[in-house]
Amino acid sequence: MEKEASETPQTPSQNDKPKPKRGGSKPILKVSGIGRVENPAKATLFAPIAPINQKNYYTDYLKRDDQIVFYRELNERLAREKEKDKEKEAEREREKEEGVEPAEEEPIGARTIVLHPGSRNLRIGTASMAYPKTVPNVIAHRVDTPPSQDESQNGYADEEEEDGFEQSRKVVQDDLITRMRFYKRRILPSSSNMATNFNARTVPEEIPDHNDPYRVEWTDVSDGGKRYYTGTQAVHIPPNSSPKYTLKWPIQNGCLNEYDYESPQQVLGDISLILVDALEEQLSITFRQYRDYNVVLLVPDLYDRSYLINMVSLILGMGFANVCVLQEAMGATFGAGISTACIIDIGAQKTSICCVEEGMVVPDSRVLIRYGGDDITRALARLLKRSEFPYRELDISRQYDWELVEDLKKRYGTTNDADVAVQLYNFYQRAPGQRTRKYQFKTFDEVMVAPLGLFYPQLFENNVKSKPVALKMSKRYSLFPRSVDIYENRPNDPISDAQINVHMGTIATNGESYFETVQQQFKEEQDLQQSQTEENSDKKDGTTEPPKELERDAAQHRAYAQLDQTQSPSIGLDHAIIESVTQAAKKSAAHHTTQNFYDSLMVVGGSGKFSAFSHLLTDRIMMFRNAAEQRPDADDEREIQVMPIPREMDPEIISWKGGSVYAKLKIVNENWVSKKEWDLLGARCLQYKVLFLF
């Protein structure tokens, strides 16, 4: 029975039933070796990042000071200085307990050098000094074959330009006669002939050297001389010396001189040689002490980025600890102790106008015109030669004759109507190897016609300046290429609406604005492009207009790209001031009107120190102000004031003085650029370190 029971087949359960095959493909794939196998290995050794919640997330990247290398360096430096102060204080306490007399402390700013390089002079000094040391910004190199004398420096124009100069002179003289008649000034018809006849008969008087208290100490190079001379020694080298020397001015018209040099290294090398000699001779600072000093560098308001970058790189490369950059207009306001003003800086080879609002420069108010005191000197020399100047051998291509005319301009140049008459003057002519000669001469209107060239620049253009400056400007950017934005591949030099209008001649006094015209054209093109996009996409509701700031920035760069930077704008000083003030009022962040800036005009620089210049300037601005502001009622004249320079302060050094004041403020600690930071990021660190938009 047991056997039968075991042989009886059992009915299979539901779980024991074989599973039907599905398609029959899996076994075939596995057998063939191409079946799918799960791989337990991870795709990467890094932990996967969970996706961010787009509705609610927050980041503090570059929002804290400790995430920016410059601020970390600043905090570390301030901490080190604080520790040093504690140690010094503890040392003083110990000395007091021991009865030792404490050492005299250095005045504030004694370790900071304020540097203001100009086209003619270099002003340098420590921030603790009341006044800077002024040295000629020139270097004389010894040469085997001296270059031929040409018009590149101070020479006269050729004969072809005589007619143009005469026409310009007549225009200025007619304006002067009209002005004098308006103020009831009497003019004798034969005044010019009286001065000419007297000068033609003048005989010089020789003066022995022992009777000349202001005799010049000429540089002696008879023993072979040095390889180069700088500053005063350079300009006092006799022109016929043996060996021969040639003068070079590394800064011209407010930028690096690219005409007289063959490589960038030569330009920067000459600047460094002038600085080294000036520091050692004027301030007794040797090369080994540079690492203990900081430098405050003053630069033009409308600067070239290449000039600024190369100057900062040069100063740090010389071994100074830190450098800080300050604009000249801001330095002028610091030096005068004011916060809002229109700064008119008339230098030797450039005139800069800029409005400062609450201590900050208004970018679109900056105007740079490439004429100044040197052009007045050239015009005065030609006018004196016209009136039979008794010193017949006058040739301002020679340095000592140039200095003679400069002295005559400073002593007798005027913009006061009462001084326009036949006047008797005298001067001393000094030349190497000759006795001093005393001359008497008479002038009539030459002493005022030359300064009036600031308002009639055609007097300078038809003068000796035209051809040499045109040649110099044509070589611009040949050694130092224009700075270019690495992202947009376009020039990124600072741009000003006022400068664009001045370049194109569409100024406020003419009721035009070239920049606004370009901006309107750009907006029309954008509207046309947008309308075409809407028609093609049929999604009018989804289109968005570009931001106004981006639209204006693009239009401004388009207008700037159409300017010829090798040409110097021709515009009178009065028109340039009105244009600068007009643009400043439009872009004022504090809602200042033009009247706020007209109430605080300030003339600085060494070439605007003529008698009654402020009165002449206000008169000419009031003549054209109504047209600029489109006010037909001429009787509604509001007052224009030229602020006086602070007492016992020379307008030439007011910007330098502002740099010394700025060097003593606490804010300067945040603006120092060190060699380490410059090597790390280069010019990009200036975006964090300067008080203007770089």
Side-chain angles (χ1 to χ4, degrees):
M1 293 295 293
E2 293 179 0
K3 185 177 180 181
E4 290 179 357
S6 60
E7 291 179 355
T8 303
Q10 298 180 357
T11 303
S13 64
Q14 190 70 20
N15 297 331
D16 294 338
K17 291 181 180 180
K19 296 181 180 180
K21 296 181 179 179
R22 297 181 179 178
S25 60
K26 275 190 176 182
I28 298 174
L29 295 176
K30 289 182 179 180
V31 172
S32 59
I34 60 175
R36 180 176 179 180
V37 179
E38 296 293 336
N39 186 3
K42 294 182 179 180
T44 177
L45 298 177
F46 298 98
I49 300 176
I52 192 171
N53 184 359
Q54 296 292 334
K55 294 183 179 180
N56 183 19
Y57 69 93
Y58 172 78
T59 178
D60 60 354
Y61 178 64
L62 292 183
K63 291 185 178 180
R64 298 200 311 266
D65 289 349
D66 58 355
Q67 295 176 334
I68 301 176
V69 62
F70 307 112
Y71 294 122
R72 289 202 303 269
E73 292 284 343
L74 172 62
N75 293 332
E76 293 174 3
R77 184 169 66 248
L78 293 178
R80 290 193 298 268
E81 292 177 356
K82 191 174 182 180
E83 290 295 329
K84 290 182 180 179
D85 292 340
K86 289 182 179 179
E87 294 176 0
K88 289 181 180 179
E89 188 65 28
E91 184 68 22
R92 292 194 196 98
E93 293 295 333
R94 287 195 299 269
E95 290 177 351
K96 287 182 180 180
E97 294 176 358
E98 297 174 359
V100 179
E101 186 176 351
E104 185 178 354
E105 296 184 7
E106 284 186 341
I108 300 175
R111 293 290 177 175
T112 302
I113 298 171
V114 182
L115 179 64
H116 187 191
S119 302
R120 281 283 170 182
N121 295 312
L122 170 69
R123 292 178 179 85
I124 191 169
T126 61
S128 58
M129 296 170 58
Y131 302 103
K133 302 293 184 180
T134 302
V135 296
N137 195 9
V138 63
I139 185 170
H141 287 283
R142 185 173 59 194
V143 293
D144 298 329
T145 56
S148 60
Q149 290 289 339
D150 56 12
E151 300 174 356
S152 61
Q153 281 292 341
N154 304 325
Y156 292 107
D158 52 26
E159 297 297 332
E160 296 179 357
E161 297 182 353
E162 291 295 334
D163 293 339
F165 179 77
E166 285 298 315
Q167 294 176 3
S168 301
R169 181 189 61 82
K170 290 178 181 178
V171 171
V172 179
Q173 282 184 332
D174 291 343
D175 178 81
L176 177 59
I177 292 173
T178 304
R179 176 181 175 82
M180 295 185 68
R181 287 175 178 171
F182 178 80
Y183 285 104
K184 306 297 188 293
R185 304 289 186 187
R186 189 177 177 185
I187 304 175
L188 296 177
S190 59
S191 298
S192 181
N193 292 332
M194 292 172 56
T196 302
N197 294 334
F198 178 86
N199 294 337
R201 299 190 306 266
T202 299
V203 178
E205 174 189 355
E206 289 192 358
I207 298 177
D209 290 343
H210 62 272
N211 288 339
D212 183 12
Y214 301 104
R215 62 181 180 273
V216 178
E217 296 294 337
W218 303 100
T219 305
D220 185 12
V221 296
S222 57
D223 57 348
K226 297 193 299 184
R227 186 169 56 87
Y228 68 89
Y229 292 91
T230 62
T232 305
Q233 287 185 325
V235 297
H236 286 166
I237 296 177
N240 297 324
S241 63
S242 180
K244 298 292 185 181
Y245 286 82
T246 179
L247 295 179
K248 289 189 176 181
W249 308 80
I251 297 178
Q252 294 282 281
N253 299 107
C255 56
L256 297 173
N257 184 359
E258 299 175 84
Y259 175 74
D260 298 321
Y261 291 89
E262 298 178 356
S263 67
Q265 291 76 18
Q266 289 182 351
V267 185
L268 299 175
D270 281 0
I271 294 176
S272 64
L273 292 175
I274 295 172
L275 283 177
V276 169
D277 287 356
L279 288 169
E280 187 171 355
E281 295 173 5
Q282 304 294 332
L283 304 180
S284 300
I285 299 176
T286 61
F287 186 78
R288 294 184 177 180
Q289 298 173 313
Y290 288 175
R291 62 177 179 269
D292 299 327
Y293 287 85
N294 301 324
V295 176
V296 174
L297 174 66
L298 282 97
V299 299
D301 308 313
L302 198 61
Y303 56 87
D304 282 346
R305 284 175 64 99
S306 61
Y307 169 81
L308 175 56
I309 293 171
N310 280 284
M311 288 297 293
V312 172
S313 180
L314 173 66
I315 293 172
L316 292 175
M318 292 175 66
F320 290 97
N322 301 289
V323 65
C324 174
V325 180
L326 183 68
Q327 289 176 300
E328 292 174 345
M330 293 182 64
T333 55
F334 275 113
I338 55 178
S339 60
T340 300
C342 178
I343 306 299
I344 305 157
D345 188 353
I346 308 175
Q349 297 179 2
K350 70 174 181 65
T351 298
S352 176
I353 301 126
C354 177
C355 291
V356 179
E357 180 185 47
E358 304 299 335
M360 301 297 293
V361 170
V362 181
D364 285 316
S365 70
R366 295 173 292 181
V367 176
L368 177 64
I369 315 172
R370 301 189 186 280
Y371 59 70
D374 284 4
D375 302 283
I376 300 175
T377 303
R378 294 187 184 99
L380 179 61
R382 294 196 65 180
L383 292 169
L384 291 176
K385 293 280 284 187
R386 246 188 106 262
S387 62
E388 298 294 335
F389 193 59
Y391 176 36
R392 307 285 187 266
E393 300 83 8
L394 179 66
D395 182 5
I396 56 176
S397 63
R398 296 182 299 213
Q399 187 61 32
Y400 58 85
D401 281 352
W402 173 268
E403 293 180 355
L404 170 63
V405 183
E406 276 277 318
D407 182 61
L408 295 177
K409 179 188 70 174
K410 293 178 181 178
R411 291 165 59 190
Y412 307 130
T414 182
T415 52
N416 189 358
D417 307 330
D419 296 336
V420 180
V422 178
Q423 301 278 358
L424 177 63
Y425 299 120
N426 61 70
F427 67 91
Y428 294 86
Q429 187 267 328
R430 301 175 177 89
Q434 300 177 8
R435 282 189 174 184
T436 301
R437 291 183 289 180
K438 179 181 179 181
Y439 289 87
Q440 286 188 335
F441 72 108
K442 286 186 177 181
T443 63
F444 173 49
D445 59 356
E446 299 88 354
V447 291
M448 186 166 179
V449 170
L452 282 177
L454 294 173
F455 306 98
Y456 297 91
Q458 62 266 28
L459 187 69
F460 300 152
E461 293 178 3
N462 292 318
N463 197 357
V464 6
K465 178 176 179 178
S466 57
K467 287 187 177 179
V469 168
L471 184 58
K472 287 182 179 181
M473 295 297 291
S474 66
K475 292 194 174 183
R476 196 177 179 193
Y477 305 122
S478 60
L479 299 182
F480 298 93
R482 181 185 295 182
S483 179
V484 178
D485 193 303
I486 60 175
Y487 299 106
E488 301 184 11
N489 194 26
R490 66 184 183 187
N492 58 354
D493 285 327
I495 303 176
S496 166
D497 290 354
Q499 183 71 5
I500 293 174
N501 290 331
V502 164
H503 250 286
M504 303 306 298
T506 55
I507 52 180
T509 51
N510 296 338
E512 301 172 323
S513 176
Y514 181 76
F515 168 68
E516 292 179 0
T517 303
V518 174
Q519 188 176 15
Q520 182 63 29
Q521 293 176 356
F522 181 80
K523 190 174 187 312
E524 292 175 357
E525 292 178 5
Q526 291 292 323
D527 294 341
L528 179 61
Q529 183 178 1
Q530 181 178 345
S531 61
Q532 292 176 352
T533 305
E534 292 175 353
E535 292 176 359
N536 295 334
S537 61
D538 292 330
K539 295 181 179 180
K540 296 184 179 181
D541 295 336
T543 58
T544 58
E545 295 184 359
K548 295 295 183 183
E549 287 298 325
L550 295 179
E551 180 181 300
R552 182 187 176 281
D553 182 67
Q556 191 179 46
H557 279 85
R558 173 179 293 189
Y560 178 73
Q562 298 177 14
L563 304 182
D564 187 0
Q565 296 296 328
T566 63
Q567 299 295 325
S568 178
S570 174
I571 184 174
L573 181 62
D574 43 4
H575 294 280
I577 294 172
I578 293 174
E579 182 65 28
S580 176
V581 170
T582 302
Q583 296 298 331
K586 289 182 180 179
K587 312 300 190 304
S588 173
H591 305 290
H592 283 164
T593 62
T594 57
Q595 187 62 35
N596 296 115
F597 296 107
Y598 283 130
D599 285 340
S600 55
L601 301 178
M602 188 167 68
V603 180
V604 301
S607 300
K609 300 189 297 182
F610 297 105
S611 173
F613 183 75
S614 300
H615 180 62
L616 174 65
L617 184 64
T618 53
D619 279 358
R620 295 195 61 88
I621 291 176
M622 291 174 66
M623 286 170 55
F624 301 102
R625 183 181 176 185
N626 289 329
E629 298 182 356
Q630 298 180 356
R631 292 190 295 119
D633 187 4
D635 295 333
D636 184 21
E637 293 290 355
R638 288 168 286 181
E639 193 173 355
I640 298 175
Q641 295 183 358
V642 177
M643 300 176 60
I645 299 298
R647 293 176 57 185
E648 300 180 358
M649 188 68 63
D650 193 333
E652 295 185 26
I653 66 171
I654 191 71
S655 295
W656 181 93
K657 188 63 178 179
S660 67
V661 172
Y662 174 71
K664 301 174 187 176
L665 301 178
K666 288 185 178 180
I667 191 175
V668 77
N669 292 323
E670 302 178 9
N671 299 333
W672 292 122
V673 178
S674 65
K675 185 68 166 61
K676 177 182 177 182
E677 295 169 345
W678 188 260
D679 292 339
L680 181 64
L681 289 177
R684 286 180 292 172
C685 64
L686 294 176
Q687 299 176 5
Y688 298 89
K689 296 290 187 174
V690 295
L691 297 179
F692 51 90
L693 185 62
F694 180 77

